[in-house]
Amino acid sequence: MSKGTKVPGYMQGKGSRNPRGIIGDREIRYKCSLQNTILDVLRGRPGWQEVPGQNNIQPNVNQANPKQAGQQSTGQQQANTGKSGSGSTTQGTTSGYKGSVRNPQGPGTQSAVPTRLQGDGDWDFYWCDREWLAQNYDTMFLYEHQKILHFRNHYELTRKNLMVKNLKRLKKQTERELGKAEGQSFEFFPTTYELPSEYHIFVEEFKKNPGIIWIMKPAARAQGRGIFLFRRLKDITDWKKGEYQPLSDPNREVPETYVVQRYIENPYLIGGRKFDVRVYVLVVSYNPLKVWLYRSGFARFSNTRFSLDSIEDTYVHLTNVAIQKNAPDYDPDKGCKWSTQQLRKYLSAKHGVEAVKKAFKGIDNIIIKSLQSVQKIIINDKHCFEMYGYDVLFDSDLKPWLIEINASPSLTASGKEDYDLKFGLLNDLLNVLDLENRLTGKEKRVGGWDLLWEDGPILADDGNMECAPNGTTASIPNSFLGCHNERKRQLRELYTAAQSIKKS
C-alpha cells in the first residue's frame, strides 16, 4: 500500500491506542437515506464524501470491500463553519457485532447470525430512516468508529401510548420513593388513556367530567393525521363502532391503537391564535444520560383564530404545518412560524424575564423527566444517537405541556429562514458528534447546542448569562432555549481554543 493511499477507517482503527477508532486525515464517508436539508449539510461539509449504493444487507460476508465501485458525489457545496464538534466518548451496552440483543417486544434475547452492510467498512456516518434500522439493526456489524442515527427501540419515547406509559411509571416510582410532592414535577402531560385497552377506564373518567373536550390521536402516526376532538362519547363509539368489544372473531383485524387525552382548553394565544413550540434535543448516550439542547427552534401557529365553538375545525386546533398549509387562506411566503428567539422576546416583554425564565425551565424539566423515564429501557449503543423534536404547548398561565416527541422531526424546509435554522441545527449536530476529533470532549457549548445534562445537571460557566435577569450572580442551568445564537462566531472561537489546548 503506497504512502498516499486512503485507508478505510476500520483498518486505521486496528492497532491504534485511541479507543474511538479515530478516522485521521482522510475524508469521512457518509450515507443518507433522506433527500432534504440533512443531505445538503452532509454534501456541504469539507472533507466528507458520499458513499453510493443502496441500503442492502449481504449476510455472512467474510470481508467488506473498502473500495466499492462508485465516484464521490460532488453535491452542492455550501458555506460551512467548522468541521466538527464536541468529542463525546459515550459508553454503550453494546459495541461491534450485536450477536445477542434484548428483544424490546418481550423478555429474553434473540440470537442473530452476523451480517454486514453492503460496503459497511466504507462508511463512517449513516443518517438512516427508522424503518431501515428496525429491519437491520439486530444483525448489523458496526466498527468502532461508525455512527448511526436512532437507538434500536427509540419508539419507547416517541410512540404516544408508550411515552405516557413510561412517564406514568416513573411518576409512580418517584412518588413511592420521594413522596407526592416530588411527583408534582411530572404534572406536564394531560390525563391520557390508551384505546382500546383502557377504554372502560376512560369511560369512567369521561362520566365524572361531563362536557369537557377530549382529543383522539393515533399512537404511531405523525403530522396530525387521524386526530380529532370530541365532547360526546357517542362521537367515538360511532367512529369505531364495536371496535372496543372483545375479539371473539380470531380473523377480525386488531384495531389501531389510539390515545385519548383531555384537551388543553386554555392555550396561550398570540393574536388570537394557538401555537406550540418545536424544541430540538440531541441524546448521544443513555448510559450515562448525556443530553444537548438546541438554542433555536420555532413556534407553529394555527391559521385560524382559536375558538372552542368549532372543535371539528383542524385549522383552529392543530398547529402541524402539514395541516395548516392546506388552509384556504394559507400564505406560503409568510407561513405560520415564529423563531423561538422572537417568541421569548415577546413573552419577556409582556410578562417579564423571570416569568419566562420559569416557563422555559419547565421545558428543561419536561426534557429530562421524559428521557429518564426510558433511560433503563432504551438499548444504549455507543454507535447510536438520536435527535428528538419535542412539541410543547403553553397554557394561559405560561405552564408548558408536553404534546408529543418525534424521533424523525421534519427536516424539509418551509422557507429560507426555516432552511437556515435546520441547516445550522444539523451542521452543529455533526460538530457535537465530532467525527473529525477536533475538540476536547469537555465543551458545554458547540455552535447552537448547549450541554443540558451529563449524568446530572450542567451549570453555565461564569460570564455565560444570556437570557438571565440583570444582576444575576448565582449559577444557572446551561440552558439557553430562545436565547441569542451566534453559532458561527462561537464555533470559530471554540475550535481555536480547542486547538491550543490540544497543542499544549
Side-chain angles (χ1 to χ4, degrees), residues 219-484:
R221 293 200 230 171
Q223 298 184 329
R225 291 189 292 266
I227 298 178
F228 65 93
L229 280 64
F230 66 95
R231 280 195 177 98
R232 303 175 302 167
L233 200 58
K234 182 178 182 295
D235 294 336
I236 61 170
T237 53
D238 284 350
W239 166 68
K240 288 285 186 180
K241 192 167 185 177
E243 185 170 278
Y244 307 112
Q245 304 304 318
L247 294 177
S248 55
D249 181 3
N251 296 321
R252 180 179 160 195
E253 184 179 351
V254 176
E256 180 181 5
T257 300
Y258 272 69
V259 294
V260 58
Q261 295 179 322
R262 284 194 63 162
Y263 185 63
I264 299 171
E265 299 183 19
N266 63 326
Y268 192 99
L269 304 178
I270 296 180
R273 289 169 170 80
K274 177 183 175 181
F275 68 92
D276 66 5
V277 185
R278 168 59 57 87
V279 180
Y280 294 103
V281 175
L282 172 64
V283 177
V284 295
S285 170
Y286 270 98
N287 184 24
L289 184 60
K290 188 170 184 179
V291 185
W292 296 79
L293 174 62
Y294 200 66
R295 295 187 169 208
S296 299
F298 51 85
R300 305 178 299 183
F301 288 82
S302 62
N303 200 60
T304 308
R305 294 179 68 86
F306 183 78
S307 171
L308 293 176
D309 296 331
S310 53
I311 63 174
E312 71 285 345
D313 189 344
T314 56
Y315 300 133
V316 172
H317 300 282
L318 303 185
T319 61
N320 309 71
V321 175
I323 299 290
Q324 294 297 327
K325 68 181 182 181
N326 296 315
D329 55 346
Y330 178 76
D331 184 349
D333 296 325
K334 184 179 179 181
C336 295
K337 290 183 178 180
W338 273 12
S339 71
T340 314
Q341 282 78 8
Q342 285 177 285
L343 176 64
R344 186 156 188 161
K345 286 180 181 178
Y346 174 88
L347 294 176
S348 297
K350 191 166 185 179
H351 302 281
V353 173
E354 279 296 339
V356 175
K357 179 183 174 184
K358 179 181 178 181
F360 277 69
K361 187 177 180 180
I363 296 179
D364 295 346
N365 177 64
I366 289 174
I367 293 168
I368 298 305
K369 289 291 195 299
S370 60
L371 294 172
Q372 287 176 333
S373 75
V374 297
Q375 186 177 4
K376 295 181 180 179
I377 301 173
I378 295 290
I379 301 171
N380 192 54
D381 186 336
K382 66 182 179 181
H383 300 97
C384 302
F385 66 95
E386 198 81 54
M387 186 183 77
Y388 297 107
Y390 277 67
D391 291 337
V392 177
L393 180 144
F394 287 114
D395 66 17
S396 56
D397 298 319
L398 275 185
K399 176 183 176 179
W401 293 86
L402 175 61
I403 304 303
E404 65 181 30
I405 304 172
N406 301 277
S408 298
S410 173
L411 301 179
T412 301
S414 59
K416 184 182 183 305
E417 288 186 7
D418 196 39
Y419 182 85
D420 291 342
L421 163 66
K422 291 173 179 175
F423 193 93
L425 164 82
L426 296 167
N427 219 344
D428 288 346
L429 181 149
L430 300 179
N431 294 337
V432 171
L433 296 180
D434 190 26
L435 271 69
E436 298 95 335
N437 193 32
R438 296 181 66 204
L439 295 183
T440 66
K442 298 180 180 179
E443 289 77 15
K444 292 184 179 181
R445 180 185 176 188
V446 178
W449 290 101
D450 294 293
L451 184 60
L452 181 64
W453 190 275
E454 187 173 17
D455 209 20
I458 302 298
L459 298 179
D461 293 328
D462 293 340
N464 191 1
M465 294 295 168
E466 300 173 63
C467 293
N470 293 332
T472 298
T473 56
S475 297
I476 63 171
N478 194 51
S479 172
F480 301 97
L481 178 62
C483 299
H484 195 47

Side-chain angles (χ1 to χ4, degrees), residues 200-232:
H200 297 294
I201 303 174
F202 160 67
V203 170
E204 292 180 11
E205 180 68 20
F206 181 91
K207 291 178 179 178
K208 291 178 184 177
N209 300 277
I212 69 169
I213 300 174
W214 296 82
I215 184 168
M216 286 278 286
K217 303 177 183 178
R221 293 200 230 171
Q223 298 184 329
R225 291 189 292 266
I227 298 178
F228 65 93
L229 280 64
F230 66 95
R231 280 195 177 98
R232 303 175 302 167

